[in-house]
Amino acid sequence: MQIVNCFAGLVHCLCSLNYFCCFVTAVEFHQDEINEALRISEEIKKKQQQEIELKAKQEAERQQKAQEEKEHTTKEKSKNNRSEKLKQALAVDFEDCVDTNCLTWHLKKNLMLEECEESLQPLLNNDSLKQFRFDCQKVVNVPVNAISPLDNQHLQDKLYKLTRMLKGEAVPCTGNNLFLPSGHPLGVLYCMNLLAKKFVKQGEHVVSSKPEAAFAIAAVIVALWVDFPHFGELLLAHFHRECPYLIPVFIPQVEGQSNEDYYKMLGYQYSDDGKVESQDKFLRRMSGIMRLYAAILVTPLKQSHAQEGKKHPLSMQEAWRWLAATLNMSPRPDISPTLLFDFLEVAGWLFYKTYGSQFTKMLQTLCTDYFPLIEQVTPDGCGGPVVRLKSFLEKIIKERAVPPPTGLLPHNFW
């Protein structure tokens, strides 16, 4: 009986063990199914995610392409509009306002400047780049404001810093910190345009009150212009924008144009409350710009540039062109005698040295034919610029020489 019971117990155990094994096998089978299901699910999710990312990428590319096409269309329209304006301007008979070749030259420079300013909009309109723009302004303003004819080393230091900046290399900014203009794709161009504009402002605000300061500034400008021609093109465009008489052009007021718009085109500045600057202030600013421009014309190349066979970016041919073009137009009150005096006082000595008897003949034409026209258009009580020009002309005609201007740097200064 005990044997039977033991056998029955053994059978029961075997059955239980068999059931357990079946259970384990079933569990393992179901686990495999679960794992397979999870794997398939993950693959489906991964595939769906890839499809979503692909669609998002395609949509982004589509939007980018559409935006680029829109910008291209807008830019082309803008170009076409400016080109049309150029054609219209050249088609107009300006008569006694501007020489056609001078106008063409000016409008091309202005178009180049406008395109430069358009290309800088992504940098200018990005609020997150405010500090970057501030640093750009600082690395431009600090060395330019410090330019003076103190000595060779002083001027070399300012040129070195500005040269590194235009190359996109690291330059001192605040304390011991260095700033990298090329840290943004538009950084170097932004600095270059700022620098060109800043130099013209130096003419307005520094040279206008301290004429002898023009020559140290001009020396740095010429050195930079030789190495960075695009900087020089931007500089000329800013000169023309601030002082259109450098072209020269006497812009006529067109029908329907407001006085404020017209006077701004002539170079006048308006205050925030809409008041135009005084005539004396206007003439003083234009005088400073002209003196800086003329100083660039007469400033020799650095010795190292001359030894390399580099050419001066603005030769005396440009000076002759301006003077001849000006004398071929009727004079305007105040501005004509003011700029002629400034131009001849700064550049007259080199005119004599370069052109000799040809310049003497031009001076005679100025004295006998052009100066009486200046007197005719000058209102009573506004003879200051006329008196200065007359005294200057009488002196150089009598002495047959023009003395070098005060502040002119020695030929071998650097």
Side-chain angles (χ1 to χ4, degrees):
M1 186 66 180
Q2 290 180 348
I3 294 174
V4 172
N5 289 337
C6 289
F7 180 76
L10 179 61
V11 171
H12 178 73
C13 288
L14 290 173
C15 290
S16 298
L17 180 61
N18 184 51
Y19 175 78
F20 177 75
C21 290
C22 290
F23 173 76
V24 171
T25 301
V27 169
E28 290 177 348
F29 175 76
H30 286 300
Q31 185 62 45
D32 290 342
E33 287 184 333
I34 292 172
N35 290 339
E36 180 66 15
L38 290 174
R39 185 186 66 79
I40 294 173
S41 176
E42 287 298 323
E43 288 183 354
I44 292 173
K45 287 182 179 179
K46 186 176 180 180
K47 187 175 181 180
Q48 289 176 340
Q49 183 63 30
Q50 289 175 343
E51 290 177 351
I52 292 172
E53 291 176 355
L54 179 60
K55 289 181 180 179
K57 182 180 179 181
Q58 291 174 341
E59 178 63 19
E61 290 176 349
R62 186 191 66 78
Q63 291 180 0
Q64 182 179 359
K65 185 177 180 180
Q67 180 65 23
E68 289 175 352
E69 290 177 352
K70 182 179 178 181
E71 291 177 355
H72 177 73
T73 301
T74 302
K75 193 170 184 179
E76 286 301 313
K77 286 182 179 179
S78 178
K79 282 185 178 180
N80 291 336
N81 289 338
R82 285 195 295 265
S83 298
E84 190 61 31
K85 288 179 181 178
L86 174 61
K87 293 177 183 178
Q88 291 174 359
L90 293 176
V92 173
D93 183 10
F94 277 103
E95 297 179 352
D96 199 32
C97 299
V98 64
D99 175 78
T100 302
N101 292 331
C102 294
L103 179 63
T104 304
W105 179 56
H106 160 63
L107 291 177
K108 287 181 178 179
K109 290 285 185 293
N110 190 60
L111 176 62
M112 178 271 300
L113 178 56
E114 288 178 351
E115 289 180 341
C116 170
E117 291 172 337
E118 283 181 11
S119 70
L120 291 173
Q121 290 307 307
L123 173 57
L124 295 171
N125 295 330
N126 191 333
D127 291 338
S128 66
L129 296 173
K130 185 176 181 180
Q131 183 61 45
F132 181 85
R133 294 194 299 270
F134 177 77
D135 290 338
C136 286
Q137 293 166 9
K138 195 164 188 177
V139 297
V140 167
N141 293 338
V142 171
V144 171
N145 289 337
I147 291 175
S148 72
L150 185 63
D151 55 41
N152 178 302
Q153 288 75 20
H154 173 82
L155 219 56
Q156 288 280 15
D157 175 68
K158 306 304 172 283
L159 176 62
Y160 173 75
K161 291 176 180 177
L162 293 173
T163 297
R164 285 185 61 87
M165 180 194 72
L166 293 180
K167 287 181 177 180
E169 299 173 352
V171 288
C173 184
T174 304
N176 295 324
N177 296 327
L178 294 177
F179 173 68
L180 193 65
S182 56
H184 187 280
L186 295 172
V188 173
L189 180 60
Y190 180 60
C191 287
M192 184 177 289
N193 190 51
L194 279 177
L195 181 61
K197 189 174 182 178
K198 174 66 176 178
F199 274 130
V200 177
K201 292 298 181 185
Q202 292 298 94
E204 286 187 81
H205 304 302
V206 177
V207 179
S208 61
S209 58
K210 192 177 180 182
E212 61 272 19
F215 300 99
I217 299 172
V220 175
I221 288 175
V222 171
L224 291 172
W225 197 334
V226 170
D227 289 331
F228 304 95
H230 188 52
F231 156 74
E233 295 299 307
L234 290 172
L235 179 70
L236 272 180
H238 280 290
F239 265 126
H240 292 172
R241 177 179 287 181
E242 296 301 321
C243 182
Y245 313 100
L246 293 180
I247 300 169
V249 57
F250 296 117
I251 303 172
Q253 187 171 11
V254 298
E255 185 177 354
Q257 185 179 25
S258 68
N259 287 336
E260 182 173 345
D261 286 342
Y262 174 58
Y263 277 101
K264 284 181 177 179
M265 289 182 66
L266 295 178
Y268 287 86
Q269 292 182 347
Y270 276 75
S271 61
D272 293 336
D273 58 358
K275 292 182 179 179
V276 66
E277 65 182 329
S278 67
Q279 184 71 353
D280 286 344
K281 184 178 180 181
F282 166 71
L283 292 175
R284 188 162 56 250
R285 287 194 306 103
M286 295 300 105
S287 173
I289 293 175
M290 170 55 86
R291 283 182 172 273
L292 178 57
Y293 184 75
I296 294 172
L297 291 168
V298 302
T299 295
L301 294 174
K302 280 187 64 184
Q303 293 184 50
S304 59
H305 283 154
Q307 291 168 1
E308 293 171 4
K310 300 292 181 66
K311 293 183 178 180
H312 197 289
L314 282 183
S315 65
M316 284 303 291
Q317 289 180 340
E318 168 58 22
W320 185 272
R321 181 204 65 80
W322 182 86
L323 185 56
T326 298
L327 297 184
N328 282 330
M329 295 186 292
S330 297
R332 268 55 175 181
D334 289 341
I335 192 66
S336 291
T338 296
L339 297 188
L340 278 169
F341 169 74
D342 292 322
F343 185 73
L344 291 174
E345 189 176 52
V346 174
W349 67 278
L350 193 54
F351 263 117
Y352 252 127
K353 183 178 179 180
T354 305
Y355 295 106
S357 60
Q358 287 180 293
F359 180 58
T360 301
K361 291 178 181 178
M362 183 171 281
L363 281 179
Q364 290 173 346
T365 300
L366 171 56
C367 293
T368 59
D369 299 336
Y370 198 76
F371 189 79
L373 297 177
I374 292 177
E375 291 181 312
Q376 289 177 16
V377 300
T378 301
D380 293 338
C382 300
V386 178
V387 172
R388 283 193 295 273
L389 177 60
K390 183 178 182 179
S391 299
F392 179 77
L393 291 174
E394 289 175 345
K395 181 180 179 181
I396 61 177
I397 290 294
K398 180 181 179 180
E399 298 178 357
R400 294 182 176 275
V402 181
T406 303
L408 184 68
L409 299 181
H411 189 77
N412 60 349
F413 183 80
W414 67 344

